[in-house]
Structures are given as structure tokens and as C-alpha cells.
Amino acid sequence: MIIDCHGHFTTAPPALGQWRERQIRSFEESGARVSPDELVITDDEIRAAIENGQLKLQQERGTDLTIFSPGAGKMAHHYGDERTSLDWSRVSNDLIARVCELFPGRFVGVGQLPQSPGENLAASIENSVAELERCVEELGFVGCLLNPDPSDGYWQAPPLTDRVYYPLYEKLVELDVPAMIHVAMSRNEALQGTCAHYLNGDTAVFMQLCMSDLFADFPTLKLILPHGGGAVPYHWGRYRGWMLDQGRPRLEEAVLNNVFFDTCVYHKRGLELLLDVIPESNVLFASEMIGAVRAVDPETGRRFDDTKHLLDQIPIKDRRAVYGGNALRVFGRLK
């Protein structure tokens, strides 16, 4: 089975975005709430969005299952307060659950967490624990997205290794589900979202983990760095050297029991580097379709996010593990 561990519902019916716009506008103008019950999306609208989008590409590219989450950029945690984020997360997660019910065996859910920046962070982490539990135990989800920058481009939160996040990590371990570290939108004009903020987030969090003893406290915690880990594979020597300079454990011992990388890298040489530097046992197949890049690569004649086509050209010792076996191991509930 070929499992794509990184997909977003970027083709959601327009009603979802319209409800979100009203939610944000109402709160900003008067502090009023828009009820989730006011969002109406039919099963036929969901089917049309999926069948003409993600499912069509699954079939064309020869993948079997997508681990599916709400659109990451749309999480936009800086809007409103912790209740705003909670309502938006529940609405988004319920929609993902409907996709999974309508297309069993093709999609399995990963949840959005109701995070908030600033003084609302601690309360929002408590809400995130409850929403994670709901997603896993009631909706059948197998993981979550964890935003390391709920200020959306200004990095005003403490590192993910801070104890404010510990209740969430305790619940992740208890439920045996991983978190994919994924920033949302960038509202900072100096930091473009797709090609700067996303990759910066992956890189920054890896360094946070190197500087901490988080995995001593949570030895079975599993975190996934998307987009090939940002700059991490390219600068592996720098990280190794820094760890030695600081008297820290060897890099491989410090992180590779707990940290995994996906293959959302949109050129062959980049994927070759990823698989050369990172052990195959720590690499999970992913494409992020339909997401960050939608264009056709004029050099290959295929879409940039057709990562399976690229990986098929690269020698891999244990292709079965990279294409699906590792995902079954990391997403403990997927089995």
C-alpha cells in the first residue's frame, strides 16, 4: 500500500471559506460569534471536490491512501481568541471526518488544533488536548497538525519544547498518535508563506529539538517534519557540529528515534539528498497534493507535487518502507 502522509483539503467547497470570513469579520467588528451550525455543505459538494481533485490524482499517480487534514495555511491561528480557534478547528475537523466517511479506504483524518498566540496560548493548548482526544476517539483520526508559530509569521510563541505544550505531548503519547509540525499562513510581508515561512518553520523547530531534552521526557513522542525537513538535510553537518560543540548527544541519537521527515520535495536531486542523509526508516512518502505548488514542471512534463514519479527514479533500499511501511509504524492507529 502506498500511503501519502501529507494531504490537505485545499479544494474544500466555497461555503467553508465563506463561513470562516463571516466568523472573523463578526468577531473583529463586534465580538459576535457565528455558529458552526450555520455552515451547510452537502455530501454531493464534498464528493465533487474530492472526486475532481485529490481522488483523481490518487488514481492517476498510483497512490492508495492519503492522510488528510484541513488546509494548513487556512488554520490562521492569529485571528480572534481561543474560542474563535476552537470553533474553526471543530468545523474544519468535522469536514475532514465527512470526507473520510464518504471515501473509506482512500482518506484518513489528521486534525487541526485550536491554537492561539500570546496570552491565550496556555488556554488554547488545553483546548487542543480536548480536540485531539475528540478527533482520535470520536472521529477516528490518526494524528494532528501542530503549529509552532500561532502568531502566523512573527514567532512570538515559546519553542515547542516549552512546558506549556507538555499536556499536549502527554495526550499524543497516550493516544499513540504523531504530530506533524506545520506552520499556517504568514501575515509577515517579509516572510512569504509557501517557500519561506513553511520551510523556515521546519528548520527552526528541528533546532528547537536539538537544543532540548524533550525526548528524554517523552521517549515515545513522534513528530513529523514536512517538506523534507526544510534546510535540515542540507545542513546536517552544521547540526552535528553544533551538538558536539555544546556537549550534546550525537545528533542521530538525540532526534532520529522520534523525528521523521516527509518527501514533499519537488525536485529529484533534493529527494536524493534527503534519502542520502536521513535514514530510510525516518522518511515517509508524501506529496502535499493539492497544495503548495500546482504547476507543471516544464523539465518533466509532470506536476511538481508528483513526488512518487520522482521517487520511482531514485534507488531506495527499502521502497516498501518509504512508500507505506514507515507510515504504518509512525501513525500507530493507522494499522
Side-chain angles (χ1 to χ4, degrees):
M1 175 173 282
I2 299 176
I3 301 171
D4 186 338
C5 79
H6 187 172
H8 300 298
F9 198 6
T10 54
T11 61
L16 179 68
Q18 294 164 1
W19 183 91
R20 174 62 163 165
E21 289 175 3
R22 289 197 301 115
Q23 184 203 32
I24 293 170
R25 185 172 61 251
S26 295
F27 185 82
E28 289 181 344
E29 291 178 352
S30 65
R33 309 286 183 184
V34 176
S35 172
D37 295 336
E38 296 181 26
L39 173 62
V40 178
I41 297 176
T42 67
D43 286 352
D44 286 343
E45 289 176 307
I46 296 174
R47 288 192 187 96
I50 293 294
E51 289 173 351
N52 296 321
Q54 287 84 359
L55 183 60
K56 178 182 177 182
L57 293 178
Q58 275 186 346
Q59 294 167 339
E60 289 177 357
R61 298 177 185 181
T63 61
D64 299 304
L65 177 73
T66 299
I67 298 176
F68 206 49
S69 60
K74 301 294 185 182
M75 293 190 296
H77 288 117
H78 71 276
Y79 285 115
D81 59 4
E82 69 271 18
R83 170 68 185 279
T84 306
S85 289
L86 180 59
D87 286 349
W88 175 229
S89 294
R90 290 178 68 93
V91 161
S92 300
N93 293 332
D94 287 345
L95 185 59
I96 295 295
R98 291 178 64 189
V99 171
C100 298
E101 290 172 0
L102 290 170
F103 298 92
R106 282 292 187 174
F107 299 91
V108 64
V110 159
Q112 170 181 317
L113 298 180
Q115 299 174 247
S116 292
E119 62 183 14
N120 294 321
L121 177 61
S124 76
I125 294 301
E126 294 299 327
N127 288 339
S128 295
V129 171
E131 180 62 7
L132 174 66
E133 190 167 44
R134 185 183 81 93
C135 284
V136 172
E137 297 190 341
E138 297 181 22
L139 304 183
F141 286 12
V142 297
C144 67
L145 301 179
L146 175 58
N147 184 357
D149 175 33
S151 66
D152 291 331
Y154 288 97
W155 289 90
Q156 296 168 340
L160 285 184
T161 53
D162 190 273
R163 285 189 170 272
V164 71
Y165 293 100
Y166 271 36
L168 178 61
Y169 298 149
E170 290 169 359
K171 184 58 67 173
L172 286 166
V173 169
E174 175 190 328
L175 296 172
D176 188 24
V177 295
M180 175 174 281
I181 308 301
H182 206 309
V183 295
M185 65 174 291
S186 172
R187 58 191 177 112
N188 183 342
E189 293 183 0
L191 198 62
Q192 190 274 345
T194 302
C195 297
H197 188 43
Y198 279 20
L199 305 184
N200 178 55
D202 309 330
T203 308
V205 168
F206 186 79
M207 191 61 199
Q208 292 176 7
L209 298 174
C210 288
M211 295 169 61
S212 81
D213 295 313
L214 177 65
F215 300 128
D217 291 336
F218 298 98
T220 60
L221 179 65
K222 292 173 287 190
L223 303 177
I224 302 166
L225 292 181
H227 320 115
V232 173
Y234 190 70
H235 286 290
W236 195 253
R238 179 178 291 249
Y239 295 108
R240 289 180 57 241
W242 184 88
M243 296 286 276
L244 290 171
D245 284 345
Q246 301 299 314
R248 302 281 297 163
R250 290 180 63 250
L251 180 57
E252 293 81 358
E253 297 171 359
V255 298
L256 289 184
N257 289 326
N258 306 85
V259 178
F260 303 85
F261 299 74
D262 80 13
T263 64
C264 291
V265 178
Y266 295 152
H267 68 130
K268 181 182 175 184
R269 293 182 68 185
L271 283 169
E272 289 172 337
L273 173 67
L274 173 66
L275 288 161
D276 185 50
V277 173
I278 305 299
E280 290 181 6
S281 58
N282 289 76
V283 178
L284 281 63
F285 168 69
S287 69
E288 204 176 359
M289 74 166 191
I290 304 170
V293 176
R294 304 191 182 194
V296 172
D297 185 347
E299 296 180 4
T300 66
R302 292 178 174 265
R303 295 190 183 276
F304 280 96
D305 64 5
D306 189 355
T307 53
K308 181 178 180 295
H309 172 71
L310 298 173
L311 285 167
D312 285 345
Q313 304 172 54
I314 298 172
I316 301 176
K317 294 178 181 178
D318 193 347
R319 191 173 300 275
R320 187 181 295 269
V322 171
Y323 276 15
N326 293 339
L328 290 172
R329 182 164 50 87
V330 174
F331 291 88
R333 287 179 174 258
L334 195 58
K335 297 177 182 179

